[in-house]
Amino acid sequence: MALKEAYQQRFEAQLREWEAEFAKWKARAEKETAEVKIQYYKQMEGLEPKLRAAQEKLDELKQASGEAWMELQVGLEKAFAEAQTAFSDLKEAWQKAMSKFQKPTGTRS
């Protein structure tokens, strides 16, 4: 059971990390122009289904008993790998979008 718990902790920590990053982005977007907000929400739309899938696999892992969780391991790792790729793509796109809309230094109020 220790291995199952380690997997669970690893993936729960990853989800918390992503959620914290999204919260930072959202807070920053809310302070920016409507165009930045639109970019944020558009980008999040593509990632949310992958995060839901990863969360669902994690929930399945939590519910699995005995050795059944080992069968879920491959699906869980695949779901998190897809979410990680989507997160990385989103992070890159978000940084590009923010730099596009960034105000020149000294003009911020």
Side-chain angles (χ1 to χ4, degrees):
M1 284 302 230
L3 184 58
K4 176 185 172 188
E5 291 170 3
Y7 266 91
Q8 183 177 328
Q9 290 173 357
R10 172 182 162 208
F11 291 116
E12 286 174 339
Q14 182 63 68
L15 283 174
R16 282 192 306 272
E17 182 181 317
W18 288 336
E19 288 170 0
E21 192 73 22
F22 299 144
K24 288 179 195 174
W25 294 346
K26 184 175 184 179
R28 185 171 177 192
E30 291 300 323
K31 294 178 183 177
E32 296 291 337
T33 64
E35 189 66 28
V36 172
K37 290 177 191 176
I38 291 167
Q39 288 295 322
Y40 170 81
Y41 289 109
K42 280 183 179 179
Q43 291 166 358
M44 284 302 297
E45 284 177 4
L47 181 58
E48 287 175 344
K50 295 192 183 309
L51 290 177
R52 278 195 304 274
Q55 182 64 58
E56 288 170 7
K57 290 293 184 184
L58 181 57
D59 291 343
E60 287 178 27
L61 172 75
K62 290 177 184 179
Q63 299 300 317
S65 60
E67 298 298 315
W69 77 270
M70 294 183 93
E71 294 177 19
L72 299 172
Q73 182 180 351
V74 173
L76 178 68
E77 289 185 11
K78 181 179 178 192
F80 270 82
E82 289 174 1
Q84 178 64 56
T85 298
F87 178 81
S88 295
D89 292 347
L90 173 63
K91 186 174 184 176
E92 183 178 329
W94 177 244
Q95 289 170 341
K96 285 180 183 177
M98 288 306 294
S99 66
K100 177 180 175 183
F101 295 108
Q102 191 68 39
K103 297 173 186 170
T105 305
T107 61
R108 228 167 224 252
S109 47

